[in-house]
Amino acid sequence: MIVPLTTTIIVLRIEATSEVIMEALLPQLLSFPPHPQKLSDQEYDRQIKALAHLLDETIASKLVKGVAGGGDLLDILDPAVNTLPYLYTLLAHLGGPPDEKQSGNGLLKVFHPGSQLWEKMLEFVERFDPVQIRYAGHEWRRLLEKIARVGDLSNKPLIAILPIRTAMLRLDPSAACFTSNHLLLVKLCLQAKAFQAALPLLDHDVFHMPSSPERVSYFPLPCEYHETSSTFITTSSGLSDKLAYRDYLMYFLYGGMIYLGLKDWQRALLFLEVVIVAPTGNAASMIQVEAYKKWVLVGLLLKGMPMAMPKTTNPYAARTFRAIAKPYDNLADAFKEGGSEKLYAEVEAAQQTWHKDCNTGLVLQVLNAFRRFLILKIGKTYAALPTSLVAQQTSPQPSNIAETESYLTSLIASEQLNATLIPPVNTMETSVLRFAATSHEGPLARSEMQNFQDLQTQTEKFTYLTRHIKGTERRLELSKEYLEWARKNPKSKDTGLGTANLGTIGNDGYGVDEDMLADM
């Protein structure tokens, strides 16, 4: 095939023009941050906003063109230094404008584990400058969503977990401000059954929601020092998508389910309780009902008895929980009464309910825990008891002493029972289970050093919590609603009541949508 000379000339001219454009653009992309000059916060803010504006105005096709002399722009840019140009260029290679969905096949073809762009992405999430990213929130979130989409399209959610988690915790190591990315990550972990992979995020408590800059009289610049991440993760930063009431509930429900999978009953109970006590209208969300069902079962696993409804639960919601989750409350009542026959009957009668709610495994855990709590109950009455009598009172096979001894040994070894199994003196006798009289005795006795370390850990948690509370109070005092209230109530302000009366102000601007209850 012979290519016309005119066509060849046109192609060469286009390539030459592209090289000229890139030669003019490249110095501007590399100009920030200036080195070794140190900028003030105000000058840093001005220059990086100008760079972000330049990148917003640059057509994506220009960023994917090769540089003079061959090579890709991503090979020249350093993600740790040129974070914004690198991010924009990476997204330009992945294709598709922000408001348009790219076809799955097209994305997977160029962006998958092992591909050049995937390796570039991994380098980026491990090295990007977290401060610069505060100025490109929408683009940063677009990248995370594309990573998650690859995991979804390939039916391999596990591949997306590590890069997304790394990016989130590098931007906000505290993970204290709830974002749409929190929900994105825990959903992927749940789909992949990668429960441990979610812990670096879930183990960080959430203290804040993205704040609204327009409702606060002063906000620090994104590049300035921030006491908490909620002052740079705002409703307008793009670092989080718009949040709804449902997102908040789903995050804590999914988190509770992950802790259930890890048998961390204490943490699971906390997450599920957050869902139950969430503000609601005259009815409960079905997400809350599902959380309540699991909460009842976890309470039995952790406490060995039905839990009292949290005091802050909406009374309308509480009635809904009890009406819909009646089989769960019946099971809890049977567990409390201590009769194994009634307990097994309740389990048998509601088998279809457990299966429909995907709680069969949790109910079986409750049955296993029932025997353990019977043994603990015996320990409150007896200091020691022959294994044969323990078997008669607790075992489904009362005559099988060896099985009971094996079960007791497993409880002691797993630190679920503070007792000692004393071997028999002769073959005519059985072993004896001796319970520890106090928590300072037995195999679970703790040394003074261990108690001191526990106290230090609790003190650090309390200090961390106090710091977040004080930060929230300071931001509330800067809110326009509070300043207006303080102007109208000068006497209260002068008496030093401060934020003590903030409850009278109304909506403080720190939370999800005002109409979030409409999503229920």
mmCIF file of all heavy atoms in Angstrom, residues 173-194:
data_model
loop_
_atom_site.group_PDB
_atom_site.id
_atom_site.type_symbol
_atom_site.label_atom_id
_atom_site.label_comp_id
_atom_site.label_asym_id
_atom_site.label_seq_id
_atom_site.Cartn_x
_atom_site.Cartn_y
_atom_site.Cartn_z
ATOM 1 N N PRO A 173 -3.395 9.566 57.937
ATOM 2 C CA PRO A 173 -2.966 8.425 58.765
ATOM 3 C C PRO A 173 -3.904 8.129 59.929
ATOM 4 O O PRO A 173 -3.973 6.991 60.388
ATOM 5 C CB PRO A 173 -1.585 8.872 59.273
ATOM 6 C CG PRO A 173 -1.105 9.871 58.273
ATOM 7 C CD PRO A 173 -2.337 10.590 57.818
ATOM 8 N N SER A 174 -4.635 9.126 60.390
ATOM 9 C CA SER A 174 -5.556 8.906 61.516
ATOM 10 C C SER A 174 -6.851 8.238 61.071
ATOM 11 O O SER A 174 -7.526 7.589 61.876
ATOM 12 C CB SER A 174 -5.898 10.236 62.193
ATOM 13 O OG SER A 174 -6.744 11.022 61.360
ATOM 14 N N ALA A 175 -7.208 8.381 59.796
ATOM 15 C CA ALA A 175 -8.477 7.864 59.246
ATOM 16 C C ALA A 175 -9.657 8.299 60.097
ATOM 17 O O ALA A 175 -10.676 7.618 60.170
ATOM 18 C CB ALA A 175 -8.429 6.334 59.133
ATOM 19 N N ALA A 176 -9.528 9.446 60.757
ATOM 20 C CA ALA A 176 -10.529 9.889 61.729
ATOM 21 C C ALA A 176 -11.711 10.606 61.101
ATOM 22 O O ALA A 176 -12.739 10.779 61.749
ATOM 23 C CB ALA A 176 -9.874 10.801 62.761
ATOM 24 N N CYS A 177 -11.580 11.026 59.844
ATOM 25 C CA CYS A 177 -12.677 11.708 59.165
ATOM 26 C C CYS A 177 -13.338 10.739 58.182
ATOM 27 O O CYS A 177 -12.683 10.235 57.262
ATOM 28 C CB CYS A 177 -12.162 12.946 58.434
ATOM 29 S SG CYS A 177 -13.473 13.931 57.671
ATOM 30 N N PHE A 178 -14.599 10.481 58.378
ATOM 31 C CA PHE A 178 -15.315 9.510 57.556
ATOM 32 C C PHE A 178 -15.481 10.034 56.134
ATOM 33 O O PHE A 178 -15.861 11.190 55.921
ATOM 34 C CB PHE A 178 -16.690 9.231 58.159
ATOM 35 C CG PHE A 178 -17.505 8.242 57.375
ATOM 36 C CD1 PHE A 178 -17.110 6.925 57.282
ATOM 37 C CD2 PHE A 178 -18.661 8.638 56.725
ATOM 38 C CE1 PHE A 178 -17.854 6.009 56.558
ATOM 39 C CE2 PHE A 178 -19.416 7.727 55.996
ATOM 40 C CZ PHE A 178 -19.006 6.412 55.922
ATOM 41 N N THR A 179 -15.180 9.183 55.155
ATOM 42 C CA THR A 179 -15.315 9.544 53.744
ATOM 43 C C THR A 179 -15.974 8.399 52.981
ATOM 44 O O THR A 179 -16.117 7.288 53.502
ATOM 45 C CB THR A 179 -13.938 9.832 53.108
ATOM 46 O OG1 THR A 179 -13.191 8.594 53.032
ATOM 47 C CG2 THR A 179 -13.145 10.852 53.911
ATOM 48 N N SER A 180 -16.333 8.683 51.753
ATOM 49 C CA SER A 180 -16.892 7.635 50.886
ATOM 50 C C SER A 180 -15.856 6.541 50.628
ATOM 51 O O SER A 180 -16.219 5.394 50.330
ATOM 52 C CB SER A 180 -17.365 8.241 49.560
ATOM 53 O OG SER A 180 -16.293 8.912 48.904
ATOM 54 N N ASN A 181 -14.571 6.879 50.750
ATOM 55 C CA ASN A 181 -13.527 5.888 50.522
ATOM 56 C C ASN A 181 -13.487 4.838 51.632
ATOM 57 O O ASN A 181 -13.080 3.702 51.405
ATOM 58 C CB ASN A 181 -12.162 6.584 50.423
ATOM 59 C CG ASN A 181 -12.176 7.711 49.418
ATOM 60 O OD1 ASN A 181 -12.609 7.556 48.291
ATOM 61 N ND2 ASN A 181 -11.722 8.896 49.834
ATOM 62 N N HIS A 182 -13.903 5.224 52.837
ATOM 63 C CA HIS A 182 -13.994 4.260 53.936
ATOM 64 C C HIS A 182 -14.941 3.122 53.553
ATOM 65 O O HIS A 182 -14.618 1.940 53.709
ATOM 66 C CB HIS A 182 -14.523 4.937 55.204
ATOM 67 C CG HIS A 182 -13.511 5.769 55.940
ATOM 68 N ND1 HIS A 182 -12.918 6.870 55.398
ATOM 69 C CD2 HIS A 182 -13.002 5.641 57.199
ATOM 70 C CE1 HIS A 182 -12.093 7.402 56.283
ATOM 71 N NE2 HIS A 182 -12.105 6.674 57.380
ATOM 72 N N LEU A 183 -16.104 3.518 53.059
ATOM 73 C CA LEU A 183 -17.102 2.513 52.674
ATOM 74 C C LEU A 183 -16.608 1.692 51.492
ATOM 75 O O LEU A 183 -16.814 0.464 51.444
ATOM 76 C CB LEU A 183 -18.418 3.211 52.330
ATOM 77 C CG LEU A 183 -19.570 2.306 51.896
ATOM 78 C CD1 LEU A 183 -19.899 1.285 52.975
ATOM 79 C CD2 LEU A 183 -20.807 3.145 51.562
ATOM 80 N N LEU A 184 -15.957 2.339 50.540
ATOM 81 C CA LEU A 184 -15.428 1.646 49.361
ATOM 82 C C LEU A 184 -14.467 0.537 49.773
ATOM 83 O O LEU A 184 -14.545 -0.599 49.278
ATOM 84 C CB LEU A 184 -14.721 2.650 48.452
ATOM 85 C CG LEU A 184 -14.058 2.105 47.186
ATOM 86 C CD1 LEU A 184 -15.109 1.610 46.207
ATOM 87 C CD2 LEU A 184 -13.182 3.172 46.531
ATOM 88 N N LEU A 185 -13.567 0.835 50.701
ATOM 89 C CA LEU A 185 -12.554 -0.142 51.097
ATOM 90 C C LEU A 185 -13.141 -1.303 51.885
ATOM 91 O O LEU A 185 -12.833 -2.466 51.600
ATOM 92 C CB LEU A 185 -11.461 0.546 51.917
ATOM 93 C CG LEU A 185 -10.310 -0.364 52.352
ATOM 94 C CD1 LEU A 185 -9.557 -0.904 51.136
ATOM 95 C CD2 LEU A 185 -9.342 0.368 53.278
ATOM 96 N N VAL A 186 -14.002 -1.030 52.871
ATOM 97 C CA VAL A 186 -14.535 -2.131 53.682
ATOM 98 C C VAL A 186 -15.433 -3.031 52.843
ATOM 99 O O VAL A 186 -15.514 -4.242 53.082
ATOM 100 C CB VAL A 186 -15.294 -1.620 54.930
ATOM 101 C CG1 VAL A 186 -14.343 -0.910 55.886
ATOM 102 C CG2 VAL A 186 -16.461 -0.731 54.569
ATOM 103 N N LYS A 187 -16.099 -2.455 51.853
ATOM 104 C CA LYS A 187 -16.935 -3.276 50.963
ATOM 105 C C LYS A 187 -16.066 -4.237 50.161
ATOM 106 O O LYS A 187 -16.402 -5.417 50.010
ATOM 107 C CB LYS A 187 -17.738 -2.374 50.038
ATOM 108 C CG LYS A 187 -18.752 -3.113 49.186
ATOM 109 C CD LYS A 187 -19.579 -2.142 48.362
ATOM 110 C CE LYS A 187 -20.593 -2.886 47.503
ATOM 111 N NZ LYS A 187 -21.418 -1.940 46.688
ATOM 112 N N LEU A 188 -14.930 -3.743 49.659
ATOM 113 C CA LEU A 188 -14.008 -4.604 48.919
ATOM 114 C C LEU A 188 -13.464 -5.710 49.816
ATOM 115 O O LEU A 188 -13.358 -6.877 49.405
ATOM 116 C CB LEU A 188 -12.846 -3.780 48.363
ATOM 117 C CG LEU A 188 -13.145 -2.858 47.171
ATOM 118 C CD1 LEU A 188 -11.968 -1.924 46.917
ATOM 119 C CD2 LEU A 188 -13.455 -3.680 45.928
ATOM 120 N N CYS A 189 -13.107 -5.375 51.053
ATOM 121 C CA CYS A 189 -12.568 -6.370 51.994
ATOM 122 C C CYS A 189 -13.609 -7.433 52.313
ATOM 123 O O CYS A 189 -13.288 -8.619 52.451
ATOM 124 C CB CYS A 189 -12.098 -5.682 53.276
ATOM 125 S SG CYS A 189 -10.638 -4.640 53.067
ATOM 126 N N LEU A 190 -14.858 -7.012 52.430
ATOM 127 C CA LEU A 190 -15.927 -7.963 52.719
ATOM 128 C C LEU A 190 -16.169 -8.876 51.525
ATOM 129 O O LEU A 190 -16.352 -10.098 51.688
ATOM 130 C CB LEU A 190 -17.203 -7.195 53.076
ATOM 131 C CG LEU A 190 -18.253 -7.928 53.922
ATOM 132 C CD1 LEU A 190 -17.661 -8.408 55.238
ATOM 133 C CD2 LEU A 190 -19.438 -7.007 54.189
ATOM 134 N N GLN A 191 -16.139 -8.319 50.327
ATOM 135 C CA GLN A 191 -16.333 -9.130 49.121
ATOM 136 C C GLN A 191 -15.210 -10.140 48.954
ATOM 137 O O GLN A 191 -15.441 -11.283 48.548
ATOM 138 C CB GLN A 191 -16.400 -8.220 47.890
ATOM 139 C CG GLN A 191 -17.660 -7.376 47.797
ATOM 140 C CD GLN A 191 -17.607 -6.386 46.656
ATOM 141 O OE1 GLN A 191 -16.545 -6.048 46.129
ATOM 142 N NE2 GLN A 191 -18.772 -5.886 46.254
ATOM 143 N N ALA A 192 -13.990 -9.724 49.266
ATOM 144 C CA ALA A 192 -12.835 -10.611 49.108
ATOM 145 C C ALA A 192 -12.623 -11.513 50.318
ATOM 146 O O ALA A 192 -11.741 -12.369 50.308
ATOM 147 C CB ALA A 192 -11.575 -9.777 48.871
ATOM 148 N N LYS A 193 -13.417 -11.302 51.378
ATOM 149 C CA LYS A 193 -13.244 -12.009 52.655
ATOM 150 C C LYS A 193 -11.831 -11.805 53.196
ATOM 151 O O LYS A 193 -11.270 -12.673 53.856
ATOM 152 C CB LYS A 193 -13.560 -13.503 52.505
ATOM 153 C CG LYS A 193 -15.007 -13.775 52.124
ATOM 154 C CD LYS A 193 -15.315 -15.256 52.066
ATOM 155 C CE LYS A 193 -16.790 -15.481 51.717
ATOM 156 N NZ LYS A 193 -17.124 -16.924 51.631
ATOM 157 N N ALA A 194 -11.290 -10.633 52.912
ATOM 158 C CA ALA A 194 -9.953 -10.269 53.399
ATOM 159 C C ALA A 194 -10.138 -9.422 54.657
ATOM 160 O O ALA A 194 -9.898 -8.208 54.664
ATOM 161 C CB ALA A 194 -9.182 -9.510 52.326
#
